[in-house]
Amino acid sequence: MTPVVSIENLKDHVGEEVTLQGWLYRKTGKGKLQFLQVRDGTGICQAVVFKGNVSPEDFAAGKSLTQESSLRVTGLVKEESRAPGVPGGYELDVRELEAVQLAEPYPISPKEHGVEFLMANRHLWLRSSRQWAAMRVRAVIIQAIREWLDGHGYLNVDTPIITPAAAEGTTTLFEIDYHGEPAYLAQTGQLYNEANIFAFGKVYCFGPTFRAEKSKTRRHLQEFWMVEPEIAFCDLDQLMDIEEQFISHIVQRCLRECAAELQVLERDTTHLERVTPSFPRIHYDEAVAMINEAAAKGELVPGYDEPVPPMEWGDDFGSPHETYLAAQFDKPVFVHHYPTQVKAFYMESEPGRPEVCRSVDLLAPEGYGEITGGSERMSDPDKLLAAIHAHDLPEEAYGWYLDLRRYGSTVHSGFGLGVERTVAWICGLDHVRETIAFPRTLTTMRP
Ligand code: 4AD
Ligand code: MG
């Protein structure tokens, strides 16, 4: 029995006879030669079937293979710089071939399909090379997230998904029935994270979060994954220091490990290579001034072909504003001190300037928008109670949260990074629906 080898490991088996198990991606050839593009989940390799090297039965089996048929091929690994494939550079000189199952006519062909059709066939679409590449990059991003946090003294403490109250505003909650009592799917783990820092110092939670967002944009999902670090004795400036180290690590690890995937995605990595500390930091006031100046001059939003829309101080940015701002810098840019009125109740206000809060969003380059949102948290119990009232939140639901400010309160901060937006940015995908295996959008929850 020859050893079964993964395509990504072929480089270690040049000159050896190995077996690949996988599926037929594409097939060409004529007469005595067949070129099979075999994919096995780790890559794509060209298997060359020459009539003189295999039994007549195996040659016929190769000819019978349809797209996506499952198969086993055994042969000699050869270095061949021109061989197509992912990562490419190696091919298999086939000696034996077994068709495991001949696939029925496959609905997804190399020709163009509409997105609706592809989404309805997401369970099959995932096999296509671009989707495959994006999911592989996503997995590396998640590894990098955990690696950096685990290596910098953050304890992973996961937070509940079933929660009795809102944390990020009451308009985007998914309600469920908790044995007769209303409950909600978590929009964030942050409030519980805040309890955890008083026990463990630096923590993070990482899991799915849920928002019944009525927005049908290319950046919003109903269910998305968020990693949320939270740090005791940390102020807004220190938070930005942490974020820029963390995000640079994620990007640089992807560049190192995902070259083949980024190539499949045809990602221009110039912007990504520049993602190293430190990142520019601008005040919201300054951001509004930049936008209104550009609007007055009739400047266009890059990639939108429309003029920068003017805005009022106090409003949140729209996507064209974020895209314009990000395009003014060659790295991700922090925008800090947003108006209190557009942010969540728990954000610390700026001393002497209560209309702005000690919050920070990180905007990714190239129009990918906000990838992290964070802030310093309100640390005074009386101020926090007033904020809870001002937001019409039920005081009794937040009793435990107020306790955190009664027993050893201190300045503390945290942020949340949206995994799907980060994947979209690093992979250069223009819609978050392709950044998770089975996306939940306003219009899709099947398959
Ligand atoms: O800015 P957000 O709402 O912040 C929070 O939830 C805080 N509690 C985090 C914290 O401080 N611990 O969300 C954080 C990030 C956004 O920057 C964005 O990347 C992502 O989560 N995000 C979404 N991603 C996909 N679809 C949605 N509907 C998203 N909403 C937020
Ligand atoms: Mg936000």
Side-chain angles (χ1 to χ4, degrees):
M1 275 282 282
T2 49
V4 175
V5 163
S6 299
I7 291 172
E8 66 182 348
N9 295 329
L10 280 180
K11 58 181 183 320
D12 303 326
H13 296 274
V14 176
E16 295 170 24
E17 197 165 280
V18 304
T19 297
L20 301 181
Q21 344 189 82
W23 298 268
L24 185 74
Y25 198 51
R26 257 163 227 177
K27 186 172 80 170
T28 53
K30 55 174 187 228
K32 294 182 170 148
L33 267 178
Q34 301 169 38
F35 298 100
L36 313 178
Q37 307 298 323
V38 177
R39 54 168 202 86
D40 74 345
T42 73
I44 301 176
C45 172
Q46 170 159 280
V48 183
V49 191
F50 175 58
K51 201 168 184 177
N53 286 343
V54 296
S55 72
E57 295 75 29
D58 285 7
F59 193 77
K63 280 202 125 161
S64 72
L65 290 171
T66 49
Q67 186 187 352
E68 288 305 314
S69 290
S70 42
L71 67 135
R72 276 191 202 93
V73 269
T74 299
L76 216 59
V77 181
K78 288 191 167 167
E79 211 162 349
E80 170 55 69
S81 59
R82 287 160 308 167
V86 181
Y90 303 91
E91 65 181 22
L92 197 74
D93 192 356
V94 176
R95 298 297 136 97
E96 280 170 45
L97 185 151
E98 178 196 349
V100 178
Q101 191 235 6
L102 292 182
E104 294 177 27
Y106 191 63
I108 303 179
S109 58
K111 73 164 202 271
E112 290 276 310
H113 293 282
V115 163
E116 229 161 274
F117 173 82
L118 292 169
M119 286 303 295
N121 286 285
R122 185 66 175 159
H123 54 297
L124 304 177
W125 190 22
L126 279 172
R127 304 179 188 193
S128 301
S129 59
R130 288 181 59 87
Q131 305 307 312
W132 169 86
M135 289 309 109
R136 301 252 303 179
V137 174
R138 178 188 170 102
V140 171
I141 288 172
I142 291 171
Q143 284 173 26
I145 285 171
R146 291 195 180 274
E147 174 185 63
W148 194 89
L149 293 167
D150 294 340
H152 285 81
Y154 292 74
L155 190 72
N156 179 200
V157 185
D158 285 316
T159 51
I161 284 173
I162 300 176
T163 59
E168 283 298 320
T170 47
T171 53
T172 64
L173 291 165
F174 278 109
E175 189 174 328
I176 59 165
D177 172 15
Y178 197 68
H179 308 291
E181 205 189 316
Y184 309 96
L185 298 181
Q187 300 158 304
T188 168
Q190 184 199 313
L191 307 195
Y192 295 98
N193 252 352
E194 287 183 64
N196 292 334
I197 56 164
F198 292 95
F200 308 106
K202 297 200 283 190
V203 301
Y204 70 96
C205 61
F206 193 1
T209 47
F210 306 87
R211 300 206 185 163
E213 313 247 24
K214 291 284 181 273
S215 30
K216 195 178 160 190
T217 78
R218 54 200 180 90
R219 295 178 185 168
H220 288 89
L221 292 166
Q222 306 289 300
E223 175 183 304
F224 65 96
W225 286 67
M226 180 157 59
V227 60
E228 297 182 85
E230 189 77 25
I231 312 106
F233 298 98
C234 172
D235 67 15
L236 186 63
D237 292 320
Q238 292 168 317
L239 186 70
M240 290 189 256
D241 296 343
I242 293 166
E243 287 194 41
E244 65 197 14
Q245 297 287 337
F246 175 64
I247 280 138
S248 300
H249 172 79
I250 297 169
V251 171
Q252 294 306 323
R253 181 160 169 191
C254 287
L255 288 173
R256 275 200 310 279
E257 282 178 33
C258 300
E261 287 82 358
L262 293 172
Q263 204 175 345
V264 168
L265 292 162
E266 298 172 280
R267 180 68 169 122
D268 172 359
T269 56
T270 348
H271 266 92
L272 298 175
E273 280 149 25
R274 286 197 288 262
V275 181
T276 52
S278 56
F279 300 167
R281 302 175 181 191
I282 59 169
H283 195 288
Y284 171 86
D285 292 349
E286 196 183 336
V288 173
M290 285 170 71
I291 286 166
N292 284 333
E293 213 167 290
K297 284 196 229 150
E299 276 185 50
L300 295 182
V301 182
Y304 275 69
D305 271 355
E306 59 173 74
V308 177
M311 68 177 287
E312 297 272 331
W313 192 100
D315 287 347
D316 206 350
F317 302 124
S319 320
H321 298 135
E322 289 183 348
T323 301
Y324 172 78
L325 284 174
Q328 307 315 303
F329 303 91
D330 64 356
K331 287 186 184 191
V333 54
F334 288 114
V335 182
H336 52 82
H337 286 97
Y338 281 71
T340 308
Q341 68 195 45
V342 299
K343 290 294 185 187
F345 75 96
Y346 53 70
M347 296 194 181
E348 186 64 282
S349 52
E350 179 64 19
R353 226 192 133 183
E355 75 282 10
V356 294
C357 59
R358 295 182 61 76
S359 62
V360 61
D361 283 4
L362 183 69
L363 308 181
E366 303 167 90
Y368 290 98
E370 174 201 328
I371 50 168
T372 75
S375 73
E376 229 176 88
R377 320 305 191 188
M378 213 169 252
S379 54
D380 178 76
D382 299 329
K383 252 171 84 178
L384 182 59
L385 183 60
I388 287 170
H389 288 153
H391 281 80
D392 277 330
L393 295 168
E395 184 181 334
E396 50 310 339
Y398 296 90
W400 67 270
Y401 188 62
L402 285 158
D403 267 357
L404 306 176
R405 279 70 180 170
R406 294 203 182 94
Y407 308 110
S409 193
T410 177
V411 59
H412 64 283
S413 303
F415 67 95
L417 170 103
V419 169
E420 289 72 19
R421 290 199 195 163
T422 307
V423 176
W425 167 43
I426 293 178
C427 291
L429 300 169
D430 51 49
H431 202 298
V432 286
R433 69 184 158 224
E434 291 183 41
T435 64
I436 183 165
F438 294 98
R440 297 294 174 247
T441 66
L442 194 55
T443 50
T444 351
M445 65 156 201
R446 293 185 178 81

